[in-house]
Amino acid sequence: MGWKKVLGVALVVAGLSLPAAAYYVEPQDVTPSSDYQESPLYQIYNELYGTSYTSSAELAAATQENWEVFDTADLGDYDSITLEAVWRNAYMQENVGIYTTSSDGTVTYSSELLQVDGIDPSTAYASADPADLRGLGITATIDPDGTFGFYDDPALSDGSTPPWGTLHSEASLNYFDAEGTTDSPYPPYSGTLSDYPNMLWETHFLILDTPYDDTYLVCIEDLPYGHVSSQADYNDFLFTVTINRTVVPEPASMALLGLGIVGLVVRRIRKRA
């Protein structure tokens, strides 16, 4: 069994699987048009990894990890963890970091680790093409202790924060119940970006497995499910999480290396003689 499967089992056993109260909407596909150029999640994944998924729902069913946080105790031996921004479709600015939760429920946030600008509202959607962020150096390296999750503080292009505030990889922390609303997971919503939606444990971070060992793709939906402009497409901001490990040479490789060193020493001695 690969270490990824071991990690997944360990997290589930530890009770860190998706909570029963979490509300999850499978990723919806957005068809680009003359005024809307965002790529569906499955197309982005195919571009990143050379796969051939035909819908985002199919992709999620095949690759979604059923956990919301990382526990470093279950990662085995590793040196560090690298985060890399790989794609951006968002209208809003995305500001991503990690958080930890203490036994009394207090959430502690790190400073922002990945930050990507949104689309200027004065710019037509038609010119807001999807952005491949690979190779731009939008990366961060972390070495956290214990259990940690990811957060996103989406903001408008002017820097103002939308009313729902911080989004978390733990769905249970994504909770806002506006006074007078119902308890439906995503009730009918109409209005503007400044209106308060009803958020009840919505899953805004979709964590996908990838063809690469020790690497996961984190996909963010930055609008509440009930928002008038939301498609629940999970393609607003994507970044990879890579567990960096020290490669230990096999005994045979070590032996060959030793013989090579010995050969160099003998050769030098002969030259001096």
Side-chain angles (χ1 to χ4, degrees), residues 153-186:
D153 276 329
L156 302 181
S157 59
D158 62 5
S160 61
T161 302
W164 50 89
T166 303
L167 301 172
H168 306 79
S169 58
E170 289 179 89
S172 60
L173 295 180
N174 299 326
Y175 177 82
F176 182 83
D177 190 3
E179 185 178 356
T181 59
T182 69
D183 289 332
S184 170
Y186 36 97

mmCIF file of all heavy atoms in Angstrom, residues 153-186:
data_model
loop_
_atom_site.group_PDB
_atom_site.id
_atom_site.type_symbol
_atom_site.label_atom_id
_atom_site.label_comp_id
_atom_site.label_asym_id
_atom_site.label_seq_id
_atom_site.Cartn_x
_atom_site.Cartn_y
_atom_site.Cartn_z
ATOM 1 N N ASP A 153 -8.603 34.110 2.300
ATOM 2 C CA ASP A 153 -9.275 35.375 2.571
ATOM 3 C C ASP A 153 -9.524 36.071 1.242
ATOM 4 O O ASP A 153 -8.727 36.927 0.828
ATOM 5 C CB ASP A 153 -8.425 36.276 3.480
ATOM 6 C CG ASP A 153 -8.600 35.946 4.945
ATOM 7 O OD1 ASP A 153 -9.700 35.510 5.318
ATOM 8 O OD2 ASP A 153 -7.635 36.107 5.719
ATOM 9 N N PRO A 154 -10.601 35.712 0.535
ATOM 10 C CA PRO A 154 -10.854 36.367 -0.747
ATOM 11 C C PRO A 154 -11.169 37.843 -0.538
ATOM 12 O O PRO A 154 -11.745 38.235 0.479
ATOM 13 C CB PRO A 154 -12.059 35.597 -1.298
ATOM 14 C CG PRO A 154 -12.753 35.071 -0.084
ATOM 15 C CD PRO A 154 -11.674 34.778 0.911
ATOM 16 N N ALA A 155 -10.774 38.655 -1.492
ATOM 17 C CA ALA A 155 -11.028 40.094 -1.403
ATOM 18 C C ALA A 155 -11.354 40.627 -2.787
ATOM 19 O O ALA A 155 -10.916 40.077 -3.806
ATOM 20 C CB ALA A 155 -9.817 40.820 -0.833
ATOM 21 N N LEU A 156 -12.130 41.709 -2.824
ATOM 22 C CA LEU A 156 -12.413 42.373 -4.083
ATOM 23 C C LEU A 156 -11.153 43.076 -4.582
ATOM 24 O O LEU A 156 -10.173 43.217 -3.847
ATOM 25 C CB LEU A 156 -13.551 43.364 -3.917
ATOM 26 C CG LEU A 156 -14.875 42.779 -3.397
ATOM 27 C CD1 LEU A 156 -15.928 43.872 -3.307
ATOM 28 C CD2 LEU A 156 -15.356 41.653 -4.285
ATOM 29 N N SER A 157 -11.164 43.507 -5.827
ATOM 30 C CA SER A 157 -9.969 44.118 -6.396
ATOM 31 C C SER A 157 -9.556 45.382 -5.650
ATOM 32 O O SER A 157 -8.395 45.783 -5.702
ATOM 33 C CB SER A 157 -10.192 44.435 -7.878
ATOM 34 O OG SER A 157 -11.291 45.318 -8.024
ATOM 35 N N ASP A 158 -10.507 46.015 -4.933
ATOM 36 C CA ASP A 158 -10.159 47.205 -4.161
ATOM 37 C C ASP A 158 -9.663 46.853 -2.758
ATOM 38 O O ASP A 158 -9.410 47.732 -1.929
ATOM 39 C CB ASP A 158 -11.350 48.162 -4.065
ATOM 40 C CG ASP A 158 -12.549 47.536 -3.343
ATOM 41 O OD1 ASP A 158 -12.433 46.404 -2.844
ATOM 42 O OD2 ASP A 158 -13.604 48.193 -3.303
ATOM 43 N N GLY A 159 -9.535 45.542 -2.468
ATOM 44 C CA GLY A 159 -9.024 45.105 -1.186
ATOM 45 C C GLY A 159 -10.078 44.879 -0.121
ATOM 46 O O GLY A 159 -9.768 44.376 0.958
ATOM 47 N N SER A 160 -11.324 45.235 -0.400
ATOM 48 C CA SER A 160 -12.378 45.054 0.596
ATOM 49 C C SER A 160 -12.746 43.583 0.727
ATOM 50 O O SER A 160 -12.649 42.807 -0.226
ATOM 51 C CB SER A 160 -13.618 45.869 0.222
ATOM 52 O OG SER A 160 -14.138 45.459 -1.029
ATOM 53 N N THR A 161 -13.154 43.192 1.926
ATOM 54 C CA THR A 161 -13.466 41.803 2.228
ATOM 55 C C THR A 161 -14.952 41.537 2.073
ATOM 56 O O THR A 161 -15.771 42.289 2.607
ATOM 57 C CB THR A 161 -13.041 41.462 3.667
ATOM 58 O OG1 THR A 161 -11.642 41.715 3.812
ATOM 59 C CG2 THR A 161 -13.316 39.998 3.984
ATOM 60 N N PRO A 162 -15.347 40.476 1.370
ATOM 61 C CA PRO A 162 -16.766 40.137 1.259
ATOM 62 C C PRO A 162 -17.313 39.718 2.613
ATOM 63 O O PRO A 162 -16.548 39.319 3.498
ATOM 64 C CB PRO A 162 -16.786 38.988 0.256
ATOM 65 C CG PRO A 162 -15.415 38.399 0.324
ATOM 66 C CD PRO A 162 -14.490 39.536 0.618
ATOM 67 N N PRO A 163 -18.613 39.781 2.812
ATOM 68 C CA PRO A 163 -19.193 39.574 4.143
ATOM 69 C C PRO A 163 -18.974 38.197 4.730
ATOM 70 O O PRO A 163 -19.012 38.043 5.947
ATOM 71 C CB PRO A 163 -20.683 39.858 3.926
ATOM 72 C CG PRO A 163 -20.901 39.680 2.466
ATOM 73 C CD PRO A 163 -19.641 40.147 1.820
ATOM 74 N N TRP A 164 -18.763 37.175 3.906
ATOM 75 C CA TRP A 164 -18.588 35.844 4.473
ATOM 76 C C TRP A 164 -17.171 35.633 4.996
ATOM 77 O O TRP A 164 -16.910 34.678 5.704
ATOM 78 C CB TRP A 164 -18.933 34.757 3.459
ATOM 79 C CG TRP A 164 -18.285 34.923 2.126
ATOM 80 C CD1 TRP A 164 -17.072 34.444 1.732
ATOM 81 C CD2 TRP A 164 -18.817 35.619 1.000
ATOM 82 N NE1 TRP A 164 -16.806 34.804 0.436
ATOM 83 C CE2 TRP A 164 -17.866 35.521 -0.042
ATOM 84 C CE3 TRP A 164 -20.000 36.306 0.758
ATOM 85 C CZ2 TRP A 164 -18.067 36.102 -1.294
ATOM 86 C CZ3 TRP A 164 -20.200 36.882 -0.482
ATOM 87 C CH2 TRP A 164 -19.240 36.773 -1.493
ATOM 88 N N GLY A 165 -16.246 36.504 4.673
ATOM 89 C CA GLY A 165 -14.927 36.468 5.275
ATOM 90 C C GLY A 165 -14.101 35.252 4.907
ATOM 91 O O GLY A 165 -14.134 34.766 3.778
ATOM 92 N N THR A 166 -13.382 34.735 5.902
ATOM 93 C CA THR A 166 -12.401 33.669 5.680
ATOM 94 C C THR A 166 -13.065 32.333 5.373
ATOM 95 O O THR A 166 -14.015 31.932 6.029
ATOM 96 C CB THR A 166 -11.507 33.511 6.922
ATOM 97 O OG1 THR A 166 -10.886 34.765 7.210
ATOM 98 C CG2 THR A 166 -10.437 32.462 6.691
ATOM 99 N N LEU A 167 -12.512 31.640 4.365
ATOM 100 C CA LEU A 167 -12.950 30.295 4.022
ATOM 101 C C LEU A 167 -11.898 29.310 4.505
ATOM 102 O O LEU A 167 -10.697 29.588 4.448
ATOM 103 C CB LEU A 167 -13.141 30.157 2.508
ATOM 104 C CG LEU A 167 -14.160 31.113 1.888
ATOM 105 C CD1 LEU A 167 -14.119 31.006 0.366
ATOM 106 C CD2 LEU A 167 -15.551 30.824 2.403
ATOM 107 N N HIS A 168 -12.326 28.138 4.980
ATOM 108 C CA HIS A 168 -11.433 27.154 5.577
ATOM 109 C C HIS A 168 -11.537 25.811 4.861
ATOM 110 O O HIS A 168 -12.589 25.462 4.323
ATOM 111 C CB HIS A 168 -11.773 26.942 7.057
ATOM 112 C CG HIS A 168 -11.792 28.197 7.866
ATOM 113 N ND1 HIS A 168 -12.868 29.063 7.853
ATOM 114 C CD2 HIS A 168 -10.877 28.736 8.713
ATOM 115 C CE1 HIS A 168 -12.616 30.083 8.664
ATOM 116 N NE2 HIS A 168 -11.422 29.916 9.185
ATOM 117 N N SER A 169 -10.455 25.040 4.924
ATOM 118 C CA SER A 169 -10.511 23.695 4.343
ATOM 119 C C SER A 169 -11.383 22.774 5.177
ATOM 120 O O SER A 169 -11.880 21.764 4.668
ATOM 121 C CB SER A 169 -9.104 23.115 4.193
ATOM 122 O OG SER A 169 -8.423 23.070 5.437
ATOM 123 N N GLU A 170 -11.579 23.078 6.452
ATOM 124 C CA GLU A 170 -12.534 22.346 7.284
ATOM 125 C C GLU A 170 -13.918 22.976 7.104
ATOM 126 O O GLU A 170 -14.153 24.116 7.496
ATOM 127 C CB GLU A 170 -12.139 22.397 8.747
ATOM 128 C CG GLU A 170 -10.924 21.571 9.091
ATOM 129 C CD GLU A 170 -10.566 21.690 10.552
ATOM 130 O OE1 GLU A 170 -11.086 20.893 11.360
ATOM 131 O OE2 GLU A 170 -9.770 22.586 10.890
ATOM 132 N N ALA A 171 -14.825 22.219 6.515
ATOM 133 C CA ALA A 171 -16.147 22.760 6.210
ATOM 134 C C ALA A 171 -16.877 23.243 7.455
ATOM 135 O O ALA A 171 -17.655 24.204 7.397
ATOM 136 C CB ALA A 171 -16.987 21.717 5.481
ATOM 137 N N SER A 172 -16.644 22.607 8.599
ATOM 138 C CA SER A 172 -17.351 22.979 9.813
ATOM 139 C C SER A 172 -17.019 24.395 10.272
ATOM 140 O O SER A 172 -17.759 24.991 11.056
ATOM 141 C CB SER A 172 -17.035 21.990 10.934
ATOM 142 O OG SER A 172 -15.650 21.986 11.214
ATOM 143 N N LEU A 173 -15.895 24.946 9.795
ATOM 144 C CA LEU A 173 -15.520 26.308 10.153
ATOM 145 C C LEU A 173 -16.117 27.341 9.207
ATOM 146 O O LEU A 173 -16.013 28.542 9.467
ATOM 147 C CB LEU A 173 -13.992 26.453 10.168
ATOM 148 C CG LEU A 173 -13.248 25.635 11.218
ATOM 149 C CD1 LEU A 173 -11.739 25.877 11.100
ATOM 150 C CD2 LEU A 173 -13.732 25.964 12.622
ATOM 151 N N ASN A 174 -16.713 26.882 8.121
ATOM 152 C CA ASN A 174 -17.354 27.798 7.168
ATOM 153 C C ASN A 174 -18.826 27.927 7.539
ATOM 154 O O ASN A 174 -19.682 27.269 6.964
ATOM 155 C CB ASN A 174 -17.201 27.278 5.740
ATOM 156 C CG ASN A 174 -15.756 27.158 5.328
ATOM 157 O OD1 ASN A 174 -14.927 27.955 5.752
ATOM 158 N ND2 ASN A 174 -15.447 26.168 4.510
ATOM 159 N N TYR A 175 -19.080 28.777 8.517
ATOM 160 C CA TYR A 175 -20.436 28.872 9.043
ATOM 161 C C TYR A 175 -20.821 30.333 9.224
ATOM 162 O O TYR A 175 -20.138 31.077 9.914
ATOM 163 C CB TYR A 175 -20.548 28.160 10.385
ATOM 164 C CG TYR A 175 -21.923 28.284 11.013
ATOM 165 C CD1 TYR A 175 -22.954 27.443 10.620
ATOM 166 C CD2 TYR A 175 -22.188 29.249 11.971
ATOM 167 C CE1 TYR A 175 -24.217 27.553 11.181
ATOM 168 C CE2 TYR A 175 -23.449 29.368 12.538
ATOM 169 C CZ TYR A 175 -24.454 28.522 12.138
ATOM 170 O OH TYR A 175 -25.700 28.644 12.681
ATOM 171 N N PHE A 176 -21.892 30.731 8.563
ATOM 172 C CA PHE A 176 -22.489 32.031 8.830
ATOM 173 C C PHE A 176 -23.986 31.914 8.589
ATOM 174 O O PHE A 176 -24.410 31.610 7.483
ATOM 175 C CB PHE A 176 -21.916 33.132 7.936
ATOM 176 C CG PHE A 176 -22.504 34.471 8.251
ATOM 177 C CD1 PHE A 176 -22.008 35.224 9.295
ATOM 178 C CD2 PHE A 176 -23.594 34.954 7.541
ATOM 179 C CE1 PHE A 176 -22.580 36.444 9.629
ATOM 180 C CE2 PHE A 176 -24.173 36.166 7.871
ATOM 181 C CZ PHE A 176 -23.657 36.911 8.919
ATOM 182 N N ASP A 177 -24.756 32.150 9.611
ATOM 183 C CA ASP A 177 -26.206 32.037 9.508
ATOM 184 C C ASP A 177 -26.803 33.408 9.745
ATOM 185 O O ASP A 177 -26.890 33.879 10.874
ATOM 186 C CB ASP A 177 -26.727 31.045 10.554
ATOM 187 C CG ASP A 177 -28.193 30.706 10.333
ATOM 188 O OD1 ASP A 177 -28.762 31.200 9.345
ATOM 189 O OD2 ASP A 177 -28.753 29.966 11.152
ATOM 190 N N ALA A 178 -27.164 34.089 8.662
ATOM 191 C CA ALA A 178 -27.726 35.428 8.782
ATOM 192 C C ALA A 178 -29.070 35.378 9.496
ATOM 193 O O ALA A 178 -29.843 34.440 9.332
ATOM 194 C CB ALA A 178 -27.894 36.054 7.405
ATOM 195 N N GLU A 179 -29.320 36.352 10.324
ATOM 196 C CA GLU A 179 -30.565 36.387 11.096
ATOM 197 C C GLU A 179 -31.772 36.363 10.166
ATOM 198 O O GLU A 179 -31.841 37.110 9.191
ATOM 199 C CB GLU A 179 -30.604 37.642 11.961
ATOM 200 C CG GLU A 179 -31.803 37.702 12.888
ATOM 201 C CD GLU A 179 -31.776 38.934 13.772
ATOM 202 O OE1 GLU A 179 -30.784 39.675 13.703
ATOM 203 O OE2 GLU A 179 -32.755 39.138 14.498
ATOM 204 N N GLY A 180 -32.694 35.485 10.472
ATOM 205 C CA GLY A 180 -33.925 35.430 9.697
ATOM 206 C C GLY A 180 -33.881 34.473 8.526
ATOM 207 O O GLY A 180 -34.893 34.276 7.859
ATOM 208 N N THR A 181 -32.720 33.843 8.260
ATOM 209 C CA THR A 181 -32.658 32.906 7.148
ATOM 210 C C THR A 181 -33.035 31.513 7.630
ATOM 211 O O THR A 181 -33.182 31.252 8.811
ATOM 212 C CB THR A 181 -31.245 32.869 6.543
ATOM 213 O OG1 THR A 181 -30.313 32.490 7.563
ATOM 214 C CG2 THR A 181 -30.857 34.230 5.998
ATOM 215 N N THR A 182 -33.182 30.613 6.688
ATOM 216 C CA THR A 182 -33.578 29.241 7.014
ATOM 217 C C THR A 182 -32.350 28.399 7.298
ATOM 218 O O THR A 182 -31.216 28.856 7.193
ATOM 219 C CB THR A 182 -34.346 28.620 5.841
ATOM 220 O OG1 THR A 182 -33.437 28.426 4.745
ATOM 221 C CG2 THR A 182 -35.483 29.513 5.401
ATOM 222 N N ASP A 183 -32.561 27.147 7.628
ATOM 223 C CA ASP A 183 -31.457 26.232 7.893
ATOM 224 C C ASP A 183 -31.119 25.362 6.685
ATOM 225 O O ASP A 183 -30.423 24.354 6.808
ATOM 226 C CB ASP A 183 -31.791 25.328 9.091
ATOM 227 C CG ASP A 183 -31.769 26.096 10.400
ATOM 228 O OD1 ASP A 183 -31.036 27.087 10.473
ATOM 229 O OD2 ASP A 183 -32.491 25.704 11.319
ATOM 230 N N SER A 184 -31.613 25.749 5.535
ATOM 231 C CA SER A 184 -31.279 25.015 4.321
ATOM 232 C C SER A 184 -29.786 25.159 4.050
ATOM 233 O O SER A 184 -29.199 26.205 4.342
ATOM 234 C CB SER A 184 -32.085 25.572 3.149
ATOM 235 O OG SER A 184 -31.625 25.048 1.931
ATOM 236 N N PRO A 185 -29.115 24.132 3.514
ATOM 237 C CA PRO A 185 -27.672 24.231 3.278
ATOM 238 C C PRO A 185 -27.301 25.367 2.327
ATOM 239 O O PRO A 185 -26.291 26.023 2.513
ATOM 240 C CB PRO A 185 -27.311 22.876 2.681
ATOM 241 C CG PRO A 185 -28.595 22.316 2.188
ATOM 242 C CD PRO A 185 -29.643 22.824 3.135
ATOM 243 N N TYR A 186 -28.077 25.597 1.319
ATOM 244 C CA TYR A 186 -27.826 26.734 0.436
ATOM 245 C C TYR A 186 -29.178 27.263 -0.059
ATOM 246 O O TYR A 186 -29.662 26.903 -1.122
ATOM 247 C CB TYR A 186 -26.896 26.375 -0.730
ATOM 248 C CG TYR A 186 -27.060 24.991 -1.286
ATOM 249 C CD1 TYR A 186 -27.837 24.765 -2.419
ATOM 250 C CD2 TYR A 186 -26.417 23.908 -0.698
ATOM 251 C CE1 TYR A 186 -27.979 23.489 -2.930
ATOM 252 C CE2 TYR A 186 -26.558 22.637 -1.213
ATOM 253 C CZ TYR A 186 -27.339 22.446 -2.324
ATOM 254 O OH TYR A 186 -27.478 21.182 -2.832
#
